[in-house]
Amino acid sequence: MAAIAWISRLWAIAGGLVLLAVMLMTVTSVAMRYTFGSPILGDFELVEMGTAIAAFAFLPHCQLTRGNVAVDVFTTKAPPRVQAALTATGSLALALIALLLLWRMTLGGHDFFRYGEVTTNIGVPRWWAFPPILLSLALLVLTSLVTLAEDLGVLGTGGEPS
């Protein structure tokens, strides 16, 4: 558990650094457009790829720290056992969705690689974004299983956190 938490935290920091790089590139591109009338070529393509990589990198840490949005308006007054069962169901559902996304995005990334798909303006291979995204999804599967185990532990104690 501690290793997965450490890895997910570092992965989220890496995602933040990617987002910081995207932000700095965007600011530079806007400044170049204003000053010289010409932005960084392909800036929007790099923003697209970098933002996708960063967003996926945040998901495992968010799951592990229970940072996902929860609509608990109807469950706040539910018994602890019901709340624990719902939380466990959510963790299981996320693990299954992450596994499905991992499978399908692996196939999609492979197709981009196989067909040599590149971005329009700067010719960056589109598959380059897939390895970090796939690692993020694999880590999300692991973190969802960790939270599921925690949730089942809480459920086993009658819904009361230990």
Side-chain angles (χ1 to χ4, degrees), residues 65 76 95 102:
T65 58
T76 53
L102 178 60

Side-chain angles (χ1 to χ4, degrees), residues 63-89:
Q63 174 62 17
L64 206 55
T65 58
R66 310 291 182 156
N68 290 318
V69 174
V71 181
D72 57 359
V73 172
F74 301 107
T75 61
T76 53
K77 300 213 189 269
R81 194 169 190 83
V82 171
Q83 290 181 12
L86 290 171
T87 304
T89 302

Side-chain angles (χ1 to χ4, degrees), residues 39-57:
I40 294 174
L41 181 64
D43 58 350
F44 65 92
E45 295 169 344
L46 296 173
V47 167
E48 175 186 355
M49 292 173 76
T51 303
I53 290 168
F56 277 93

Side-chain angles (χ1 to χ4, degrees), residues 119-134:
T119 61
T120 305
N121 290 328
I122 56 177
V124 173
R126 289 197 179 271
W127 69 267
W128 283 5
F130 280 79
I133 290 172
L134 295 176

